[in-house]
Amino acid sequence: MANHAEKLTKGDLISIFIRSNFLLGSFNFERMQAIGFAVSMIPALKKLYSGEDLNKALKRHLEFFNTQPFLATPIMGIVAAMEEKRANGADISDQTISGVKVGLIGPLAGVGDPIFWGTLRPVLAALGAGIALTGSIIGPLIFFVAFNVIRLLTNWYGVMYGYEKGTELVEEVGGNRMRYLTEGASVLGLLVMGALVAKWTTVNMPFVMSQYTNSAGEEVIVTVQSILDSLMPSIVPLLMTFACMYFLKKGVNPLVIIIGLFALGIVGYAVGLFA
Amino acid sequence: MSSMQFILLFIVAFISGMGSVLDEAQFHRPLVSCTLTGLVLGDMTTGIILGGTLEMLALGWMNVGAAMAPDAALASVVSTILVVVGHQSIGAGIALAVPLAAAGQVLTIFVRTITVFFQHAADNFAAKGSCFGIEMCHLGGLALQGFRVALPAMAIAAVAGTDTVNAALASIPEVITRGLQVSGGFIVVVGYAMVINMMNAKSLMPYFFLGFLLAVFTNVNLIGFGAIGLICAFFHIKDLQRELAMQQAGPIGTGNPVDDVDDSDLM
């Protein structure tokens, strides 16, 4: 490690930020995001190490890595700060650096998955899709622009904040604030999902249950749908959602469930249950 | 299709394929991918509508941990080709998207297995201290994902719109096409279910029911639901803060009975 001491510059951190946008490029089933993480760290490693030290550093960051991709950036920042200290003579072992990485990927995925995949993307996508159904370009644009602005800000501040705070941040990840964020996002996400189940599904069951002439002499047709509508509209999609949740929990492939629902639609239409 | 369109289609499909593994800019999502594919094929409006419809279906398709979701990229690009060039209905496009998503899923699993080879190549480059080599391994894996979508898309684009393919698609009986349309009304519940399961928060389900009831009995639009959701989140966090503060003050009674996000196996 000797006399190769250097400080990382803003430019190095910007390079890490740019590369972080390609983290998953070489995702593989053996070590997942490992190459992507190493490639993201290369600007820092090249600056800090040379020769045999560089080889070791590269190897160190080709270890298993997998987390929510946007929240990998604070880890990159923290690791950059640690590598910098190490290159400048601080006593930080390989195990410490690996330990920080391994210790953070789980909690950050636990926070990032519900926030970004569970809430942000479905909510923005549903908003965009609703507009897109009218054929307006605004729909795709809203989704694309809003999602990417939030994502790029997350990646940018992830790297910068992670580097600035270094290992201090490790405690924060396990702290209450993260839990508030996760649960808050889940509340928002679940509320919107509940609304979507009712709003953006169509089930029409015109199957006739009974037919009679009322006291005013008008003919009244009672269909399955009219009964359901008088009790609780959208109850069928709600029950279907619960059935899907059950099958997904049982490990059924979502595509199998989709094909099953297609079959239900075709058979239901053929026998006159659905229209 | 003109040769210029073929080239542009290749580029869009390639970007979409790369997007499917990166999961960053969302070029693989139907909303974006179908729109761009429609644009290069000369009918963006159809692309947007198909994209919006498919997006609802694919709302819950996400790669969490090592699990692979159905592939939105191949489904979006190829179904748009079939609808725009092959003159199919949006409903038929959605139905065709499902087997395509399954095929795409198989292909991406295949590529992600092959990429293990790049991982070992990267180890060798690391031993030699070659940053460039590692970067190339990374880009190699990324390019494979691009080809995974671009090549099948090219093949379909070459035959779509030909009489044989049109005749085959036109021979599907009405009960199937109408039935698929009917299913199109509720097929999206799979996506909702995937999102809800992913949250895995049994104790927060009342918020789901609140959203459902409000949507059934009122006319609030989606932006309104977003705002209501934020207010609920605010109060929920306040509540959680109080609860955690009380826990720290010392255990009274049996501890916290309700809240735990990790509370598994809901319904």
Side-chain angles (χ1 to χ4, degrees), chain B residues 55-125:
Chain B
E55 185 68 48
M56 296 303 283
L57 175 65
L59 216 54
W61 296 0
M62 51 182 131
N63 292 329
V64 168
M68 287 300 112
D71 179 49
L74 190 72
S76 305
V77 175
V78 175
S79 66
T80 312
I81 296 172
L82 289 169
V83 169
V84 175
V85 183
H87 303 291
Q88 295 303 305
S89 67
I90 301 278
I94 298 298
L96 289 165
V98 175
L100 286 166
Q105 190 178 14
V106 172
L107 283 175
T108 195
I109 288 173
F110 183 62
V111 170
R112 285 166 201 235
T113 310
I114 294 182
T115 319
V116 172
F117 163 79
F118 288 102
Q119 181 74 58
H120 289 275
D123 288 345
N124 292 333
F125 282 117

Side-chain angles (χ1 to χ4, degrees), chain A residues 124-134 139-140 143 200, chain B residues 31 48 51-53 55-56:
Chain A
L124 288 176
L127 183 67
I131 302 170
L133 294 182
T134 65
F143 168 71
W200 279 346
Chain B
L31 212 43
I48 294 171
T53 320
E55 185 68 48
M56 296 303 283

Side-chain angles (χ1 to χ4, degrees), chain B residues 101-239:
Chain B
Q105 190 178 14
V106 172
L107 283 175
T108 195
I109 288 173
F110 183 62
V111 170
R112 285 166 201 235
T113 310
I114 294 182
T115 319
V116 172
F117 163 79
F118 288 102
Q119 181 74 58
H120 289 275
D123 288 345
N124 292 333
F125 282 117
K128 287 184 226 144
S130 165
C131 294
F132 178 75
I134 299 176
E135 283 158 2
M136 286 305 114
C137 290
H138 192 49
L139 292 179
L142 187 57
L144 279 184
Q145 289 282 357
F147 283 118
R148 164 186 85 80
V149 175
L151 295 181
M154 289 296 105
I156 300 289
V159 296
T162 57
D163 292 343
T164 341
V165 174
N166 281 353
L169 290 169
S171 65
I172 301 170
E174 201 222 342
V175 65
I176 301 229
T177 53
R178 288 283 297 136
L180 289 175
Q181 253 172 38
V182 167
S183 330
F186 53 75
I187 206 90
V188 290
V189 298
V190 184
Y192 304 151
M194 289 175 83
V195 175
I196 298 165
N197 272 359
M198 197 240 115
M199 307 264 210
N200 200 11
K202 198 176 181 178
S203 64
L204 301 179
M205 282 308 275
Y207 293 105
F208 170 81
F209 292 111
L210 178 67
F212 177 79
L213 291 174
L214 281 174
V216 168
F217 296 112
T218 70
N219 254 331
V220 180
N221 71 9
L222 207 60
I223 303 207
F225 278 106
I228 297 171
L230 284 177
I231 294 171
C232 289
F234 173 79
F235 282 113
H236 178 78
I237 291 168
K238 282 272 165 211
D239 209 42

Side-chain angles (χ1 to χ4, degrees), chain A residues 143-158:
Chain A
F143 168 71
F144 187 74
V145 173
F147 189 87
N148 277 297
V149 165
I150 296 171
R151 172 184 74 85
L152 288 170
L153 286 175
T154 308
N155 284 356
W156 173 265
Y157 285 107

Side-chain angles (χ1 to χ4, degrees), chain A:
Chain A
M1 264 162 272
N3 39 36
H4 195 69
E6 273 232 46
K7 284 275 174 197
L8 293 177
T9 62
K10 185 93 175 174
D12 299 326
L13 294 177
I14 292 174
S15 299
I16 294 178
F17 158 72
I18 293 170
R19 286 165 184 245
S20 75
N21 289 293
F22 299 91
L23 174 67
L24 273 107
S26 52
F27 185 102
N28 63 77
F29 286 127
E30 188 183 292
R31 271 173 270 166
M32 309 217 167
Q33 305 165 350
I35 306 179
F37 190 86
V39 168
S40 302
M41 295 310 298
I42 280 176
L45 301 179
K46 250 181 170 166
K47 183 76 161 279
L48 298 169
Y49 301 107
S50 60
E52 192 58 31
D53 284 334
L54 177 63
N55 304 0
K56 276 192 204 146
L58 289 170
K59 188 165 175 284
R60 188 155 67 232
H61 293 298
L62 279 171
E63 279 171 6
F64 177 90
F65 189 84
N66 194 33
T67 189
Q68 203 284 334
F70 314 157
L71 292 188
T73 54
I75 306 183
M76 291 171 190
I78 293 169
V79 169
M82 291 177 84
E83 291 285 4
E84 185 186 61
K85 281 192 190 141
R86 179 190 161 109
N88 284 290
D91 182 25
I92 299 173
S93 68
D94 289 8
Q95 284 81 359
T96 313
I97 294 179
S98 295
V100 166
K101 279 168 67 180
V102 174
L104 285 174
I105 54 178
L108 283 174
V111 172
D113 288 338
I115 292 179
F116 292 104
W117 302 149
T119 306
L120 185 68
R121 188 169 71 185
V123 169
L124 288 176
L127 183 67
I131 302 170
L133 294 182
T134 65
S136 166
I137 182 74
I138 305 287
L141 278 180
I142 280 189
F143 168 71
F144 187 74
V145 173
F147 189 87
N148 277 297
V149 165
I150 296 171
R151 172 184 74 85
L152 288 170
L153 286 175
T154 308
N155 284 356
W156 173 265
Y157 285 107
V159 173
M160 299 303 160
Y161 193 64
Y163 173 73
E164 206 179 293
K165 286 271 184 171
T167 40
E168 276 174 52
L169 204 63
V170 175
E171 271 115 72
E172 225 168 284
V173 169
N176 284 343
R177 261 207 274 172
M178 285 294 170
R179 184 162 167 205
Y180 297 149
L181 208 58
T182 317
E183 285 211 19
S186 300
V187 167
L188 172 64
L190 285 172
L191 189 118
V192 172
M193 282 308 121
L196 290 180
V197 168
K199 271 179 110 69
W200 279 346
T201 50
T202 344
V203 179
N204 183 19
M205 303 168 91
F207 194 72
V208 178
M209 297 285 282
S210 64
Q211 209 165 355
Y212 63 93
T213 312
N214 68 5
S215 52
E218 291 158 346
E219 197 179 24
V220 176
I221 299 169
V222 179
T223 64
V224 175
Q225 194 61 44
S226 66
I227 296 175
L228 289 174
D229 282 348
S230 66
L231 294 170
M232 173 67 83
S234 300
I235 189 78
V236 177
L238 183 68
L239 294 176
M240 282 176 171
T241 308
F242 287 146
C244 290
M245 285 163 66
Y246 173 80
F247 285 120
L248 287 167
K249 288 236 165 211
K250 290 268 164 235
V252 181
N253 185 320
L255 286 173
V256 173
I257 303 177
I258 289 175
I259 290 167
L261 285 176
F262 271 133
L264 180 71
I266 292 167
V267 173
Y269 176 76
V271 302
L273 182 64
F274 293 124

